[in-house]
Amino acid sequence: DTLWDLAIAEVQKRENPDDDNVKPGEVWEKSVLFMGNKNGGKTTIILRCLEREESPKPTLALEYTFGRRARRHNAPKDVAHFWELGGGTSLVKLIRIPITIHNIRSFAVVLVLDLSKPNELWTTMESLLQVTRNHVNKILTKLEKTNPEVAAEIKQRMWNDLQRDHPSDYALIDPFPIPLVIIGSKYDIFHELDSEMRKIISKTLRFVSHYYGASLVFTSKSEALLLKARALINHLAFGYDKSKYVSVDPSKPLFIPAGLDSMSQIGPPPASDTDLGKIHANTPLELWKKVFEKTFPPKSFCDLRDTKDPAQDSQFAEYEVDAMRAQKNQ
């Protein structure tokens, strides 16, 4: 090879660091599922990632859209499938539709948590991640029987992203089985909260993200913050370079790519030693949950109660169907 050939190969390798299996000229497909609080800003983030100028509509059940990008000039366009789960935690069983044994290798999850509702934060996060993890683990168990190499590769991949310089963290964390990004939305409202409350929420989300081997970013409607969230999502969806920028200052919006935090930097849960001594917990996650819920007791909220009947939604009006329905009801 000439020096020029080697240079081209090197650039291509840098542009697709995670993707040794994609040959030049081949299209790759990735899928990303967005879920989180109702009205938390998921649709806004998706539209921003796809550079669409339309105003967001409320999401009903499970919605699908896609984006296409070329990694370099004259290359075929790669496809990213974007799924969005509406209804907060009420329709979480629908995740079985987008996440399947056929696309598990190229699947990622984005969890959008509304920072302006700290009392709903832990409950939303826990129920969505638990159901998703159980579903992914079932797929991996099936895959171990049919294609053990792929199953082992998926499991190992999540550990590979973690920092080598903090081996003591390995015993305290439990990485999510597929790539995960946690987005704290509505940072502008969150910024008005008392500084002590902000510190507790930020520290807890840093712990949770590190525990799951996830990336963490705070965002709002501000263009600069949306661009940071977009950089993380573009990495998952289109294989763009991973950002090396890190911001852990609790007085500023957090931005921590997966694997760039550590337990020693995060510190202990935000409670006094005497309070910590009184708490009985079996895992580090349970300990943090109890400390967090002491400050922000979980509000009993039911997403199902607010779920509108899709048949009545004007977005989906169809004259013939609606007329027949009205006739039947009558």
Side-chain angles (χ1 to χ4, degrees):
D1 287 353
T2 65
L3 196 57
W4 191 241
D5 292 328
L6 292 170
I8 290 171
E10 177 63 24
V11 169
Q12 284 178 352
K13 194 173 159 208
R14 280 187 198 167
E15 281 179 349
N16 319 308
D18 299 342
D19 217 50
D20 304 329
N21 309 325
V22 173
K23 298 167 188 67
E26 201 178 312
V27 171
W28 83 349
E29 288 189 41
K30 295 268 177 172
S31 302
V32 184
L33 170 66
F34 287 75
M35 55 190 187
N37 290 86
K38 280 186 78 158
N39 309 317
K42 300 182 288 296
T43 312
T44 307
I45 294 165
I46 293 173
L47 291 173
R48 193 67 203 82
C49 284
L50 297 173
E51 296 173 14
R52 289 189 192 154
E53 293 299 322
E54 53 201 82
S55 48
K57 294 191 183 96
T59 302
L60 256 176
L62 185 68
E63 292 198 1
Y64 168 81
T65 185
F66 68 93
R68 302 182 70 183
R69 297 265 164 83
R71 268 167 290 170
R72 48 191 177 273
H73 187 57
N74 283 343
K77 287 188 173 178
D78 297 324
V79 182
H81 306 281
F82 287 95
W83 296 86
E84 184 187 354
L85 180 71
T89 56
S90 61
L91 302 167
V92 69
K93 287 183 178 164
L94 291 177
I95 60 152
R96 289 178 293 195
I97 295 167
I99 309 178
T100 67
I101 199 162
H102 306 296
N103 64 12
I104 191 76
R105 261 180 106 175
S106 56
F107 212 98
V109 171
V110 175
L111 176 66
V112 180
L113 297 172
D114 188 336
L115 295 173
S116 68
K117 296 177 181 167
N119 300 76
E120 293 178 14
L121 196 143
W122 195 286
T123 320
T124 302
M125 175 186 74
E126 190 174 54
S127 46
L128 289 171
L129 290 184
Q130 227 166 12
V131 175
T132 309
R133 177 171 228 157
N134 291 345
H135 176 62
V136 171
N137 284 342
K138 275 183 194 160
I139 290 177
L140 289 177
T141 309
K142 277 186 197 162
L143 206 55
E144 275 168 353
K145 291 172 187 159
T146 57
N147 198 338
E149 292 87 7
V150 171
E153 178 207 313
I154 292 171
K155 286 181 178 175
Q156 189 51 43
R157 186 176 60 185
M158 296 319 295
W159 287 99
N160 292 347
D161 276 348
L162 299 170
Q163 266 191 338
R164 302 278 178 279
D165 20 330
H166 299 287
S168 57
D169 285 7
Y170 281 47
L172 301 168
I173 60 176
D174 186 9
F176 206 67
I178 54 178
L180 173 66
V181 170
I182 296 176
I183 296 181
S185 66
K186 304 194 182 173
Y187 178 77
D188 43 346
I189 304 172
F190 168 77
H191 198 58
E192 305 298 314
L193 294 176
D194 167 70
S195 69
E196 205 47 46
M197 286 183 162
R198 289 206 311 267
K199 205 178 280 181
I200 293 171
I201 297 168
S202 298
K203 207 173 179 184
T204 303
L205 283 177
R206 274 183 72 184
F207 167 78
V208 167
S209 301
H210 188 55
Y211 179 83
Y212 284 123
S215 300
L216 174 65
V217 57
F218 282 3
T219 186
S220 69
K221 286 182 179 165
S222 118
E223 193 60 28
L225 289 184
L226 275 170
L227 277 173
K228 288 200 170 81
R230 190 177 143 197
L232 281 178
I233 293 161
N234 277 340
H235 170 68
L236 294 179
F238 298 106
Y240 285 21
D241 279 352
K242 203 174 181 179
S243 176
K244 293 281 186 283
Y245 168 79
V246 176
S247 167
V248 293
D249 182 346
S251 62
K252 296 189 178 126
L254 296 180
F255 183 91
I256 312 167
L260 297 185
D261 213 339
S262 70
M263 291 299 182
S264 54
Q265 288 170 294
I266 297 165
S272 66
D273 291 347
T274 45
D275 282 350
L276 284 175
K278 291 176 193 165
I279 296 171
H280 299 291
N282 296 323
T283 63
L285 191 67
E286 201 182 322
L287 177 66
W288 279 80
K289 176 185 178 176
K290 287 183 174 172
V291 172
F292 183 79
E293 291 187 341
K294 204 166 180 237
T295 311
F296 302 106
K299 257 204 287 200
S300 57
F301 68 97
C302 178
D303 283 327
L304 255 179
R305 203 175 45 225
D306 310 326
T307 307
K308 293 189 183 75
D309 177 2
Q312 307 304 321
D313 194 296
S314 55
Q315 285 186 70
F316 303 100
E318 286 191 46
Y319 177 74
E320 288 86 352
V321 177
D322 297 340
M324 291 300 288
R325 181 76 188 260
Q327 191 181 332
K328 185 175 191 296
N329 289 346
Q330 198 180 339

